[in-house]
Amino acid sequence: MGGHTLAGKVRRPCKGADCDMSFIYTFINSEDVARHCQEIGHRFTPIQSAYLIDHSYRHTLGEKHRAFQWVAEHMPDEEMLFGSEGRAAVREGRKSETLHCFLEKYMLLQNQCLDEFFNVSESCVYKCSVYECDCDRGIYEGVCESDCDRGVYEGICESDCDCGVYEGVCESDCNRGVYEGVYESDCDRGIYERVHDPAEEYGNGRKWFEQEGYYKTAEEALYAVSADRDREDRNERVRVCKHDINQAQRCISVIFNLDKAVTEIEYDSGMSYEELDIMLRLEEVCFVCPVPFQKGDIVCAPLSPHAADGPFVFLKTWYEGKTAEETRKYLKSADSSDMTAYGYFQDDQYGCKGQIYWECMHDYVSLEYYRGSFKGRKRILKAVGNFLKGELDLGHVLNAYHIILNEENADEFRKLLGITQEGLCLAGLRDDIPKGIP
């Protein structure tokens, strides 16, 4: 089968409006931020547009490549003066690489990585993990549908079926997903184990859960997690890693959505320095993006792996309160990890549950208003937010903090007793209840 030539088979992502860049807003992870930028008429530069396209968690790689091509055809070219390569060019007095040239190389490298990823050999195995949420959050509504076919990466999966089979790859005759001679699982298939991931450090209620077992193809790995998945969780993603036992340092990781369409390719340690520079170049972008949030608003970033623990009380973004000169100096040496928002977060660790602390998160463009419920200790966030808005005085918020913590701690202690409801009533830990009511 021929190589993946998405860059050469591009279709415009918008119809009849080539001079209108409004479709860029659909690549912003937060619908709230996208709507705000569109309402105030904020326009992004070509490099900023490329960053938003690349960092979209909802779009497939095919959609991103089509959008990159649109940027190259309809937006001005500009030098990439940021990052190590850009700063080196400035120091040496030479012309830096331009965005259009970079995008061409970036798409080519991604297509090459996909070819290698799906090229099955006897020495390779695949392993998968699922990025899912174990906390309460609302459904992310209002996500635009693309005019192009949803999630169909040419030559990988068909949109009209649910198989996601890569053309030219045979189906295995052996037990589904088991790579003979490498690893046999003694437990039931589909058990997820907690594994360390940077997302655990930043937190956002989501973590990568690694599934046991090795697989002969990427399709078998995807099939292993396709059964009994929560189709309502539109933000769930699956990471499939290809390991080559003949090249210990080589590992290609590809992120899929629930439709088994490729959304992202992660760099690996086996890449050359030049390849790594291309794969990570857009990570070195930092810019000012307007947001609608005010001090005291409760926000969250359910799509971002770089968000802080669950919802939090918004204070400000990194650029608020800075002068134009201070902002310019900040941007000169910043990268995407410096696109921070500050606020009051809530600890959910055992022994510290409910405690409030000041912190920042590193992807403020993905923030959205929290539309979930305020149950349990989350009620404290509501009190803190209203205090910051001037709607509640300090005495009330401190009293609310202690009352809510005491209520929740008492409820947990009751559960730890491990006795029946009748026993709780006899112990005076619960009001007497009529017979027949649990």
Side-chain angles (χ1 to χ4, degrees):
M1 181 179 175
H4 308 290
T5 56
L6 281 181
K9 298 181 179 179
V10 167
R11 185 171 64 184
R12 287 189 177 91
C14 57
K15 299 178 180 179
D18 286 347
C19 295
D20 183 4
M21 65 164 291
S22 62
F23 82 97
I24 291 293
Y25 299 129
T26 67
F27 285 87
I28 298 176
N29 291 317
S30 166
E31 183 190 358
D32 296 319
V33 173
R35 183 187 298 110
H36 177 68
C37 290
Q38 194 160 16
E39 287 175 351
I40 66 175
H42 182 78
R43 299 183 67 82
F44 295 98
T45 68
I47 288 178
Q48 293 169 3
S49 297
Y51 171 89
L52 294 173
I53 293 167
D54 187 58
H55 285 73
S56 172
Y57 301 115
R58 289 185 278 105
H59 290 78
T60 67
L61 192 66
E63 292 168 333
K64 292 178 183 181
H65 281 198
R66 286 187 280 271
F68 283 150
Q69 190 68 31
W70 186 92
V71 168
E73 291 178 356
H74 298 93
M75 299 187 77
D77 202 2
E78 58 180 325
E79 289 188 84
M80 304 181 73
L81 300 175
F82 54 88
S84 56
E85 173 62 26
R87 288 191 287 270
V90 172
R91 287 195 307 269
E92 298 167 9
R94 57 181 172 84
K95 187 175 181 180
S96 178
E97 183 177 40
T98 64
L99 176 64
H100 293 178
C101 179
F102 164 77
L103 290 178
E104 183 179 351
K105 293 197 300 185
Y106 188 38
M107 289 188 288
L108 178 61
L109 177 58
Q110 288 186 320
N111 286 334
Q112 289 173 346
C113 287
L114 275 182
D115 282 335
E116 181 178 345
F117 177 81
F118 284 105
N119 183 24
V120 178
S121 66
E122 291 298 324
S123 64
C124 71
V125 293
Y126 295 81
K127 194 168 181 64
C128 63
S129 51
V130 178
Y131 188 61
E132 58 187 351
C133 183
D134 56 4
C135 67
D136 174 40
R137 68 170 300 276
I139 297 296
Y140 191 90
E141 298 179 351
V143 178
C144 313
E145 292 292 324
S146 170
D147 290 333
C148 56
D149 294 336
R150 298 297 299 172
V152 179
Y153 188 86
E154 296 181 23
I156 296 181
C157 61
E158 295 293 331
S159 61
D160 295 332
C161 62
D162 57 359
C163 62
V165 177
Y166 184 78
E167 288 184 24
V169 178
C170 337
E171 289 291 324
S172 172
D173 293 328
C174 61
N175 294 334
R176 299 296 299 172
V178 179
Y179 188 82
E180 295 181 7
V182 177
Y183 187 80
E184 282 286 335
S185 172
D186 293 328
C187 60
D188 294 333
R189 305 293 300 169
I191 300 290
Y192 292 90
E193 292 186 349
R194 287 282 301 277
V195 293
H196 176 75
D197 187 87
E200 286 198 38
E201 299 174 7
Y202 295 110
N204 66 345
R206 293 175 174 270
K207 299 175 179 67
W208 283 106
F209 291 82
E210 186 175 81
Q211 185 177 18
E212 293 184 348
Y214 290 87
Y215 305 89
K216 286 187 174 182
T217 68
E219 291 71 34
E220 290 182 354
L222 289 171
Y223 271 116
V225 297
S226 63
D228 300 324
R229 304 308 307 158
D230 181 6
R231 300 295 296 184
E232 295 301 318
D233 186 358
R234 300 173 66 180
N235 303 322
E236 186 177 287
R237 299 191 288 278
V238 178
R239 174 197 284 149
V240 180
C241 301
K242 178 184 180 181
H243 302 269
D244 192 326
I245 59 178
N246 292 331
Q247 302 180 61
Q249 298 300 318
R250 189 66 167 170
C251 172
I252 299 179
S253 297
V254 174
I255 309 298
F256 296 82
N257 61 19
L258 287 185
D259 295 321
K260 302 184 182 73
V262 178
T263 62
E264 183 182 351
I265 301 173
E266 297 181 333
Y267 75 92
D268 68 89
S269 57
M271 286 185 171
S272 67
Y273 178 81
E274 182 180 359
E275 290 174 328
L276 283 175
D277 181 65
I278 295 173
M279 292 294 287
L280 297 176
R281 180 68 66 83
L282 289 176
E283 296 292 334
E284 300 184 276
V285 175
C286 185
F287 58 94
V288 173
C289 178
V291 295
F293 314 115
Q294 302 296 320
K295 184 170 69 173
D297 287 340
I298 312 297
V299 297
C300 62
L303 289 175
S304 176
H306 303 296
D309 296 347
F312 67 95
V313 185
F314 181 84
L315 283 176
K316 65 175 185 176
T317 59
W318 67 266
Y319 58 82
E320 292 183 57
K322 283 184 168 62
T323 64
E325 180 61 21
E326 289 172 336
T327 300
R328 187 189 66 80
K329 288 182 178 179
Y330 185 92
L331 291 173
K332 192 174 182 179
S333 58
D335 58 34
S336 61
S337 67
D338 297 304
M339 297 178 69
T340 52
Y342 301 88
Y344 288 108
F345 300 86
Q346 196 167 36
D347 202 330
D348 64 352
Q349 300 300 314
Y350 183 77
C352 302
K353 288 184 176 180
Q355 293 186 11
I356 300 296
Y357 64 96
W358 180 94
E359 189 51 274
C360 70
M361 57 85 69
H362 300 268
D363 186 14
Y364 79 91
V365 180
S366 295
L367 286 175
E368 61 183 54
Y369 291 111
Y370 176 67
R371 294 177 174 87
S373 60
F374 289 94
K375 297 179 181 178
R377 296 180 178 86
K378 281 194 180 76
R379 293 178 290 164
I380 295 174
L381 294 176
K382 193 172 183 179
V384 173
N386 287 328
F387 167 71
L388 292 174
K389 292 181 177 181
E391 299 175 1
L392 197 65
D393 64 34
L394 181 60
H396 283 126
V397 73
L398 290 177
N399 288 331
Y401 177 78
H402 287 290
I403 290 171
I404 293 172
L405 279 186
N406 286 334
E407 287 177 351
E408 296 303 317
N409 289 338
D411 186 56
E412 286 193 356
F413 286 143
R414 289 190 189 96
K415 294 176 181 177
L416 289 173
L417 291 175
I419 59 178
T420 63
Q421 298 301 321
E422 183 181 0
L424 291 175
C425 292
L426 292 173
L429 296 176
R430 178 173 176 171
D431 293 337
D432 290 338
I433 53 178
K435 291 184 178 180
I437 299 180

